[in-house]
Amino acid sequence: MAAVLQAGDAAPDFTLPRDGKGEISLGDFKGGKLVLYFYPKDDTSGCTAEAIAFNGLAKEFAAAGATIVGASPDPVKKHDKFRDKYELSFPLVADEAKQMLEAYGVWVEKSMYGRKYMGVERTTFLIGPDGKIARVWRKVKVPGHAEEVLAAAKSL
């Protein structure tokens, strides 16, 4: 059963490989705001639109003291191609083992055309400087989402 994290809960710790080599950990963002968004797959229409929307507001997020990190089960090499193709300015972490996805409760059973399968539920977490979850957006619809997250980050 997936965890159901809510505002006020401590954000689950993680250390994962990222695009462009190296690793990213939750602790890297202590004292700052983190926009951690989970998406199903690199280079698909919805995921691309979401990444482009966050990327387009990257300077505004930085001005609000927030860092953006995207996470999916895709491997690092796929993240590298995705980042380069769309000139993304924020890191993408690869959770091929799906441990972080499960810890955040976003690796869920989905259904399409009557077929059930496991996949990522598009979800965004706004994590405060104290490491606690300030806000959660589940089953995200991409249009207007990045702007809504930015407004929340500014008010945090």
Side-chain angles (χ1 to χ4, degrees), residues 97-117:
K98 301 170 187 71
Q99 290 178 327
M100 176 195 192
L101 299 173
E102 288 177 357
Y104 278 82
V106 300
W107 185 249
V108 299
E109 185 176 77
K110 298 170 99 176
S111 180
M112 186 183 290
Y113 307 118
R115 186 178 73 86
K116 293 191 182 303
Y117 63 98

Side-chain angles (χ1 to χ4, degrees), residues 67-141:
T67 303
I68 304 164
V69 174
S72 88
D74 285 330
V76 169
K77 281 187 176 183
K78 206 161 177 223
H79 281 341
D80 286 340
K81 287 179 185 170
F82 185 51
R83 177 203 62 215
D84 293 347
K85 183 174 181 179
Y86 296 102
E87 299 178 356
L88 302 178
S89 61
F90 54 84
L92 303 171
V93 294
D95 187 13
E96 292 183 81
K98 301 170 187 71
Q99 290 178 327
M100 176 195 192
L101 299 173
E102 288 177 357
Y104 278 82
V106 300
W107 185 249
V108 299
E109 185 176 77
K110 298 170 99 176
S111 180
M112 186 183 290
Y113 307 118
R115 186 178 73 86
K116 293 191 182 303
Y117 63 98
M118 295 301 289
V120 175
E121 181 176 83
R122 192 181 306 280
T123 306
T124 301
F125 292 86
L126 176 58
I127 301 169
D130 58 359
K132 292 193 185 300
I133 296 167
R135 181 116 183 246
V136 182
W137 291 264
R138 298 188 189 286
K139 297 184 181 177
V140 166
K141 301 290 182 237

Side-chain angles (χ1 to χ4, degrees), residues 1-82:
M1 182 74 189
V4 180
L5 296 172
Q6 301 173 28
D9 290 345
D13 198 14
F14 64 86
T15 299
L16 289 171
R18 63 161 290 175
D19 61 317
K21 297 190 179 155
E23 290 182 333
I24 288 185
S25 299
L26 178 63
D28 297 341
F29 306 98
K30 195 161 179 65
K33 302 170 202 173
L34 174 62
V35 173
L36 181 60
Y37 84 94
F38 293 90
Y39 64 98
K41 195 170 177 61
D42 288 336
D43 221 2
T44 55
S45 60
C47 299
T48 300
E50 186 175 26
I52 289 171
F54 275 120
N55 201 54
L57 296 172
K59 287 183 177 143
E60 288 90 337
F61 276 103
T67 303
I68 304 164
V69 174
S72 88
D74 285 330
V76 169
K77 281 187 176 183
K78 206 161 177 223
H79 281 341
D80 286 340
K81 287 179 185 170
F82 185 51

